Amino acid sequence: MAYTLLKSAPKAFDQHKRLIVVQAAAVVAVVLLLFSKPFLSEGSSGHELVETAGFGLVLVCFLGRLWSILYVGGKKNDELIVSGPFSMSRNPLYFFSTIGAVGIGLMFGSVLAAGMLGLASFLVFRFTAGREAEFLTAKFGAAYTAYAERTPRFWPNPMRYRDQDQWLFSTSALKSTFRDGLYFLALFPLIETVEHFRVIGMLPTLFTIY
C-alpha cells in the first residue's frame, strides 16, 4: 500500500552529511583492520565461529536491503510506502545496514569492533531517520502520523507485517543496491587477505581489539 500527495512539500533531508559520516567511519574501520589484530587468534575455532556469524549478518544485510529497495526504490520521498518490510519498520534499509556493520566487526573476529561499528551506524541512522520523519510528517500529514503510530521507527516488529499481491519496483534502484551490497560481501575475502599478511608478518600489529 502507498499514499501519494499531490500538493507541494518541503525539501527532502539532504543525505550528504550522513554519507560523509558513514565514509569516515569506514576509513576508521579500515585502519583498525590493517594495524590491529583480534583477541581470538586467526585460525582458532572461536575466531572462525565469530567470523562465520559476521558473514551471516552481512548476508542478511545484503538480502534485506535488496528486499527493502524492491518497495521503496525510485519512490522515496514521493510516496509513503507502508507495505512489506516497511510495514514492520519505518526504516528497514537503515536497520539492515546496521546489521551489516555489526557483521563486518564480527568478520574481523572482534566483538568490540562489532559493537562500535553497530553503535556508530545506529546513531547516524537514528539521527537521519529523525530528520526524514520531520519531512514525511510535513508532506504526508495525518497519513504518516498514523503510520508512525503503528510502526516501529527502527527495530522491526514481524507481527505488523502486511503486504500486497502485486508491486512495481525500480530495476535501476535494485541494480544500484545490488552493486552497493557487493562491497559488503567483498569485505570477506579482503579480511581473509589482511589476516594472511598479518600472520606472515607483512603487516605490523599496533594493538589488539577484543
Side-chain angles (χ1 to χ4, degrees):
M1 184 182 298
Y3 297 97
T4 306
L5 201 61
L6 298 179
K7 69 178 183 179
S8 61
K11 186 177 180 181
F13 175 64
D14 185 2
Q15 299 282 348
H16 183 63
K17 292 182 179 180
R18 175 183 67 83
L19 291 174
I20 291 177
V21 173
V22 172
Q23 290 168 355
V27 171
V28 172
V30 169
V31 172
L32 290 175
L33 172 64
L34 292 177
F35 301 108
S36 64
K37 69 175 183 178
F39 175 73
L40 295 172
S41 301
E42 286 97 344
S44 67
S45 58
H47 178 86
E48 294 301 317
L49 180 61
V50 172
E51 193 176 62
T52 301
F55 181 75
L57 291 181
V58 169
L59 187 60
V60 169
C61 165
F62 177 70
L63 297 176
R65 285 180 56 82
L66 287 179
W67 180 37
S68 300
I69 211 67
L70 286 174
Y71 288 79
V72 77
K75 305 172 185 176
K76 189 173 184 179
N77 300 326
D78 294 323
E79 297 181 24
L80 179 58
I81 310 301
V82 300
S83 298
F86 291 88
S87 66
M88 300 186 296
S89 168
R90 283 178 272 161
N91 298 280
L93 280 165
Y94 296 162
F95 170 76
F96 287 117
S97 295
T98 300
I99 290 294
V102 174
I104 291 172
L106 292 179
M107 283 169 61
F108 180 56
S110 170
V111 175
L112 178 59
M116 292 175 62
L117 288 174
L119 179 61
S121 298
F122 174 77
L123 293 177
V124 170
F125 290 137
R126 183 177 177 83
F127 170 77
T128 305
R131 297 296 300 274
E132 288 181 344
E134 295 175 1
F135 163 76
L136 294 172
T137 299
K139 182 170 184 178
F140 296 105
Y144 181 78
T145 300
Y147 168 62
E149 288 177 351
R150 68 176 184 267
T151 311
R153 175 189 290 187
F154 191 78
W155 303 105
N157 179 2
M159 301 298 294
R160 302 296 309 175
Y161 184 78
R162 298 292 185 276
D163 210 342
Q164 296 179 222
D165 293 333
Q166 295 181 338
W167 192 262
L168 298 177
F169 65 91
S170 168
T171 56
S172 60
L174 183 63
K175 290 177 182 178
S176 177
T177 303
F178 180 82
R179 184 176 59 251
D180 293 342
L182 292 179
Y183 289 110
F184 280 93
L185 298 179
L187 286 173
F188 187 71
L190 173 62
I191 290 174
E192 290 296 315
T193 301
V194 170
E195 288 180 354
H196 173 70
F197 286 155
R198 185 186 301 114
V199 169
I200 64 178
M202 291 185 64
L203 285 176
T205 300
L206 303 182
F207 49 90
T208 299
I209 298 182
Y210 289 86

mmCIF file of all heavy atoms in Angstrom, residues 136-163:
data_model
loop_
_atom_site.group_PDB
_atom_site.id
_atom_site.type_symbol
_atom_site.label_atom_id
_atom_site.label_comp_id
_atom_site.label_asym_id
_atom_site.label_seq_id
_atom_site.Cartn_x
_atom_site.Cartn_y
_atom_site.Cartn_z
ATOM 1 N N LEU A 136 8.641 13.772 6.213
ATOM 2 C CA LEU A 136 7.491 12.957 5.832
ATOM 3 C C LEU A 136 6.225 13.402 6.555
ATOM 4 O O LEU A 136 5.130 13.365 5.987
ATOM 5 C CB LEU A 136 7.785 11.481 6.119
ATOM 6 C CG LEU A 136 8.897 10.862 5.267
ATOM 7 C CD1 LEU A 136 9.239 9.464 5.778
ATOM 8 C CD2 LEU A 136 8.486 10.819 3.797
ATOM 9 N N THR A 137 6.363 13.844 7.799
ATOM 10 C CA THR A 137 5.206 14.351 8.542
ATOM 11 C C THR A 137 4.662 15.604 7.886
ATOM 12 O O THR A 137 3.445 15.777 7.735
ATOM 13 C CB THR A 137 5.593 14.646 9.999
ATOM 14 O OG1 THR A 137 6.048 13.447 10.638
ATOM 15 C CG2 THR A 137 4.407 15.196 10.776
ATOM 16 N N ALA A 138 5.580 16.490 7.480
ATOM 17 C CA ALA A 138 5.165 17.729 6.832
ATOM 18 C C ALA A 138 4.515 17.458 5.475
ATOM 19 O O ALA A 138 3.582 18.152 5.076
ATOM 20 C CB ALA A 138 6.359 18.664 6.668
ATOM 21 N N LYS A 139 5.003 16.438 4.766
ATOM 22 C CA LYS A 139 4.493 16.164 3.419
ATOM 23 C C LYS A 139 3.209 15.353 3.422
ATOM 24 O O LYS A 139 2.264 15.662 2.684
ATOM 25 C CB LYS A 139 5.553 15.438 2.597
ATOM 26 C CG LYS A 139 5.103 15.162 1.165
ATOM 27 C CD LYS A 139 6.219 14.658 0.285
ATOM 28 C CE LYS A 139 5.729 14.498 -1.155
ATOM 29 N NZ LYS A 139 6.794 14.047 -2.078
ATOM 30 N N PHE A 140 3.160 14.302 4.242
ATOM 31 C CA PHE A 140 2.022 13.384 4.184
ATOM 32 C C PHE A 140 1.023 13.576 5.323
ATOM 33 O O PHE A 140 -0.027 12.940 5.332
ATOM 34 C CB PHE A 140 2.519 11.938 4.178
ATOM 35 C CG PHE A 140 3.329 11.594 2.959
ATOM 36 C CD1 PHE A 140 4.707 11.481 3.031
ATOM 37 C CD2 PHE A 140 2.709 11.389 1.739
ATOM 38 C CE1 PHE A 140 5.457 11.174 1.913
ATOM 39 C CE2 PHE A 140 3.449 11.076 0.604
ATOM 40 C CZ PHE A 140 4.826 10.969 0.689
ATOM 41 N N GLY A 141 1.377 14.389 6.298
ATOM 42 C CA GLY A 141 0.441 14.749 7.354
ATOM 43 C C GLY A 141 -0.097 13.578 8.150
ATOM 44 O O GLY A 141 0.652 12.748 8.663
ATOM 45 N N ALA A 142 -1.435 13.504 8.227
ATOM 46 C CA ALA A 142 -2.098 12.510 9.061
ATOM 47 C C ALA A 142 -1.790 11.083 8.630
ATOM 48 O O ALA A 142 -1.732 10.172 9.470
ATOM 49 C CB ALA A 142 -3.605 12.736 9.058
ATOM 50 N N ALA A 143 -1.566 10.867 7.322
ATOM 51 C CA ALA A 143 -1.270 9.518 6.841
ATOM 52 C C ALA A 143 0.037 9.010 7.439
ATOM 53 O O ALA A 143 0.125 7.858 7.880
ATOM 54 C CB ALA A 143 -1.188 9.507 5.309
ATOM 55 N N TYR A 144 1.062 9.882 7.479
ATOM 56 C CA TYR A 144 2.333 9.458 8.057
ATOM 57 C C TYR A 144 2.230 9.338 9.577
ATOM 58 O O TYR A 144 2.805 8.425 10.178
ATOM 59 C CB TYR A 144 3.457 10.429 7.705
ATOM 60 C CG TYR A 144 4.787 9.985 8.287
ATOM 61 C CD1 TYR A 144 5.525 8.973 7.678
ATOM 62 C CD2 TYR A 144 5.271 10.531 9.475
ATOM 63 C CE1 TYR A 144 6.709 8.524 8.222
ATOM 64 C CE2 TYR A 144 6.460 10.093 10.027
ATOM 65 C CZ TYR A 144 7.176 9.085 9.392
ATOM 66 O OH TYR A 144 8.352 8.642 9.950
ATOM 67 N N THR A 145 1.500 10.245 10.203
ATOM 68 C CA THR A 145 1.336 10.185 11.657
ATOM 69 C C THR A 145 0.704 8.865 12.079
ATOM 70 O O THR A 145 1.151 8.217 13.037
ATOM 71 C CB THR A 145 0.471 11.355 12.148
ATOM 72 O OG1 THR A 145 1.104 12.593 11.796
ATOM 73 C CG2 THR A 145 0.299 11.298 13.658
ATOM 74 N N ALA A 146 -0.320 8.435 11.356
ATOM 75 C CA ALA A 146 -0.976 7.162 11.660
ATOM 76 C C ALA A 146 -0.028 5.998 11.428
ATOM 77 O O ALA A 146 0.013 5.045 12.219
ATOM 78 C CB ALA A 146 -2.228 7.001 10.803
ATOM 79 N N TYR A 147 0.732 6.064 10.347
ATOM 80 C CA TYR A 147 1.722 5.018 10.043
ATOM 81 C C TYR A 147 2.787 4.944 11.132
ATOM 82 O O TYR A 147 3.164 3.858 11.588
ATOM 83 C CB TYR A 147 2.345 5.328 8.685
ATOM 84 C CG TYR A 147 3.567 4.517 8.342
ATOM 85 C CD1 TYR A 147 3.514 3.130 8.222
ATOM 86 C CD2 TYR A 147 4.795 5.142 8.120
ATOM 87 C CE1 TYR A 147 4.642 2.392 7.887
ATOM 88 C CE2 TYR A 147 5.928 4.418 7.782
ATOM 89 C CZ TYR A 147 5.851 3.044 7.676
ATOM 90 O OH TYR A 147 6.963 2.316 7.353
ATOM 91 N N ALA A 148 3.267 6.105 11.579
ATOM 92 C CA ALA A 148 4.318 6.150 12.600
ATOM 93 C C ALA A 148 3.819 5.618 13.941
ATOM 94 O O ALA A 148 4.578 5.003 14.702
ATOM 95 C CB ALA A 148 4.833 7.581 12.763
ATOM 96 N N GLU A 149 2.550 5.824 14.223
ATOM 97 C CA GLU A 149 1.996 5.369 15.496
ATOM 98 C C GLU A 149 1.925 3.853 15.580
ATOM 99 O O GLU A 149 2.046 3.280 16.666
ATOM 100 C CB GLU A 149 0.608 5.977 15.696
ATOM 101 C CG GLU A 149 0.643 7.468 16.018
ATOM 102 C CD GLU A 149 -0.752 8.052 16.143
ATOM 103 O OE1 GLU A 149 -1.734 7.324 15.806
ATOM 104 O OE2 GLU A 149 -0.878 9.220 16.556
ATOM 105 N N ARG A 150 1.764 3.182 14.453
ATOM 106 C CA ARG A 150 1.606 1.725 14.481
ATOM 107 C C ARG A 150 2.878 0.977 14.057
ATOM 108 O O ARG A 150 2.929 -0.253 14.156
ATOM 109 C CB ARG A 150 0.452 1.300 13.564
ATOM 110 C CG ARG A 150 0.694 1.514 12.075
ATOM 111 C CD ARG A 150 -0.459 0.983 11.239
ATOM 112 N NE ARG A 150 -0.199 1.089 9.803
ATOM 113 C CZ ARG A 150 -0.556 2.105 9.050
ATOM 114 N NH1 ARG A 150 -1.205 3.136 9.599
ATOM 115 N NH2 ARG A 150 -0.274 2.127 7.753
ATOM 116 N N THR A 151 3.900 1.698 13.592
ATOM 117 C CA THR A 151 5.092 1.054 13.047
ATOM 118 C C THR A 151 6.341 1.519 13.779
ATOM 119 O O THR A 151 6.572 2.728 13.884
ATOM 120 C CB THR A 151 5.238 1.373 11.544
ATOM 121 O OG1 THR A 151 3.994 1.140 10.881
ATOM 122 C CG2 THR A 151 6.326 0.515 10.919
ATOM 123 N N PRO A 152 7.182 0.603 14.288
ATOM 124 C CA PRO A 152 8.415 0.992 14.977
ATOM 125 C C PRO A 152 9.333 1.801 14.066
ATOM 126 O O PRO A 152 9.368 1.580 12.852
ATOM 127 C CB PRO A 152 9.053 -0.355 15.343
ATOM 128 C CG PRO A 152 7.938 -1.338 15.319
ATOM 129 C CD PRO A 152 6.989 -0.864 14.264
ATOM 130 N N ARG A 153 10.079 2.726 14.664
ATOM 131 C CA ARG A 153 10.991 3.549 13.872
ATOM 132 C C ARG A 153 12.133 2.731 13.302
ATOM 133 O O ARG A 153 12.524 2.909 12.143
ATOM 134 C CB ARG A 153 11.562 4.685 14.714
ATOM 135 C CG ARG A 153 12.615 5.515 13.966
ATOM 136 C CD ARG A 153 13.335 6.497 14.856
ATOM 137 N NE ARG A 153 12.461 7.580 15.275
ATOM 138 C CZ ARG A 153 12.892 8.644 15.956
ATOM 139 N NH1 ARG A 153 14.171 8.734 16.288
ATOM 140 N NH2 ARG A 153 12.051 9.600 16.302
ATOM 141 N N PHE A 154 12.681 1.813 14.116
ATOM 142 C CA PHE A 154 13.902 1.117 13.708
ATOM 143 C C PHE A 154 13.780 -0.398 13.794
ATOM 144 O O PHE A 154 13.881 -1.100 12.797
ATOM 145 C CB PHE A 154 15.066 1.614 14.561
ATOM 146 C CG PHE A 154 16.415 1.165 14.069
ATOM 147 C CD1 PHE A 154 17.017 1.798 12.992
ATOM 148 C CD2 PHE A 154 17.084 0.126 14.688
ATOM 149 C CE1 PHE A 154 18.262 1.392 12.521
ATOM 150 C CE2 PHE A 154 18.324 -0.288 14.248
ATOM 151 C CZ PHE A 154 18.916 0.348 13.161
ATOM 152 N N TRP A 155 13.568 -0.925 15.003
ATOM 153 C CA TRP A 155 13.535 -2.371 15.206
ATOM 154 C C TRP A 155 12.259 -2.966 14.629
ATOM 155 O O TRP A 155 11.160 -2.587 15.020
ATOM 156 C CB TRP A 155 13.635 -2.701 16.696
ATOM 157 C CG TRP A 155 14.860 -2.135 17.327
ATOM 158 C CD1 TRP A 155 14.915 -1.050 18.163
ATOM 159 C CD2 TRP A 155 16.202 -2.597 17.180
ATOM 160 N NE1 TRP A 155 16.218 -0.815 18.537
ATOM 161 C CE2 TRP A 155 17.026 -1.730 17.948
ATOM 162 C CE3 TRP A 155 16.794 -3.645 16.465
ATOM 163 C CZ2 TRP A 155 18.402 -1.897 18.023
ATOM 164 C CZ3 TRP A 155 18.166 -3.804 16.545
ATOM 165 C CH2 TRP A 155 18.953 -2.949 17.315
ATOM 166 N N PRO A 156 12.360 -3.907 13.695
ATOM 167 C CA PRO A 156 11.171 -4.470 13.045
ATOM 168 C C PRO A 156 10.298 -5.257 14.020
ATOM 169 O O PRO A 156 10.787 -5.927 14.921
ATOM 170 C CB PRO A 156 11.766 -5.409 11.972
ATOM 171 C CG PRO A 156 13.163 -4.935 11.770
ATOM 172 C CD PRO A 156 13.615 -4.410 13.099
ATOM 173 N N ASN A 157 9.002 -5.172 13.781
ATOM 174 C CA ASN A 157 8.025 -5.965 14.519
ATOM 175 C C ASN A 157 7.321 -6.887 13.519
ATOM 176 O O ASN A 157 6.430 -6.453 12.787
ATOM 177 C CB ASN A 157 7.009 -5.052 15.202
ATOM 178 C CG ASN A 157 5.956 -5.840 15.974
ATOM 179 O OD1 ASN A 157 6.002 -7.073 16.035
ATOM 180 N ND2 ASN A 157 5.000 -5.155 16.559
ATOM 181 N N PRO A 158 7.730 -8.165 13.443
ATOM 182 C CA PRO A 158 7.146 -9.093 12.454
ATOM 183 C C PRO A 158 5.639 -9.228 12.573
ATOM 184 O O PRO A 158 4.966 -9.559 11.586
ATOM 185 C CB PRO A 158 7.857 -10.419 12.760
ATOM 186 C CG PRO A 158 9.131 -10.019 13.445
ATOM 187 C CD PRO A 158 8.779 -8.805 14.244
ATOM 188 N N MET A 159 5.092 -8.960 13.760
ATOM 189 C CA MET A 159 3.652 -9.074 13.947
ATOM 190 C C MET A 159 2.885 -8.012 13.157
ATOM 191 O O MET A 159 1.686 -8.154 12.943
ATOM 192 C CB MET A 159 3.314 -8.954 15.439
ATOM 193 C CG MET A 159 3.975 -10.014 16.309
ATOM 194 S SD MET A 159 3.447 -11.691 15.853
ATOM 195 C CE MET A 159 1.714 -11.620 16.302
ATOM 196 N N ARG A 160 3.580 -6.956 12.733
ATOM 197 C CA ARG A 160 2.931 -5.888 11.991
ATOM 198 C C ARG A 160 2.999 -6.089 10.480
ATOM 199 O O ARG A 160 2.527 -5.249 9.714
ATOM 200 C CB ARG A 160 3.601 -4.532 12.325
ATOM 201 C CG ARG A 160 3.600 -4.151 13.790
ATOM 202 C CD ARG A 160 2.214 -3.959 14.323
ATOM 203 N NE ARG A 160 1.427 -3.055 13.490
ATOM 204 C CZ ARG A 160 0.145 -2.785 13.668
ATOM 205 N NH1 ARG A 160 -0.511 -3.382 14.646
ATOM 206 N NH2 ARG A 160 -0.499 -1.956 12.866
ATOM 207 N N TYR A 161 3.559 -7.220 10.028
ATOM 208 C CA TYR A 161 3.800 -7.418 8.595
ATOM 209 C C TYR A 161 2.512 -7.417 7.779
ATOM 210 O O TYR A 161 1.557 -8.118 8.092
ATOM 211 C CB TYR A 161 4.549 -8.729 8.358
ATOM 212 C CG TYR A 161 4.912 -8.940 6.903
ATOM 213 C CD1 TYR A 161 5.991 -8.266 6.346
ATOM 214 C CD2 TYR A 161 4.159 -9.788 6.088
ATOM 215 C CE1 TYR A 161 6.314 -8.434 5.007
ATOM 216 C CE2 TYR A 161 4.473 -9.964 4.747
ATOM 217 C CZ TYR A 161 5.555 -9.280 4.214
ATOM 218 O OH TYR A 161 5.874 -9.437 2.882
ATOM 219 N N ARG A 162 2.515 -6.600 6.725
ATOM 220 C CA ARG A 162 1.416 -6.548 5.761
ATOM 221 C C ARG A 162 2.032 -6.431 4.368
ATOM 222 O O ARG A 162 3.102 -5.859 4.195
ATOM 223 C CB ARG A 162 0.508 -5.330 6.022
ATOM 224 C CG ARG A 162 -0.168 -5.336 7.383
ATOM 225 C CD ARG A 162 -1.210 -6.443 7.491
ATOM 226 N NE ARG A 162 -1.929 -6.370 8.755
ATOM 227 C CZ ARG A 162 -1.501 -6.901 9.897
ATOM 228 N NH1 ARG A 162 -0.342 -7.553 9.931
ATOM 229 N NH2 ARG A 162 -2.206 -6.788 11.001
ATOM 230 N N ASP A 163 1.346 -6.952 3.356
ATOM 231 C CA ASP A 163 1.890 -6.883 2.004
ATOM 232 C C ASP A 163 0.767 -6.797 0.990
ATOM 233 O O ASP A 163 -0.415 -6.884 1.337
ATOM 234 C CB ASP A 163 2.772 -8.099 1.714
ATOM 235 C CG ASP A 163 3.887 -7.792 0.736
ATOM 236 O OD1 ASP A 163 3.778 -6.772 0.024
ATOM 237 O OD2 ASP A 163 4.856 -8.563 0.679
#
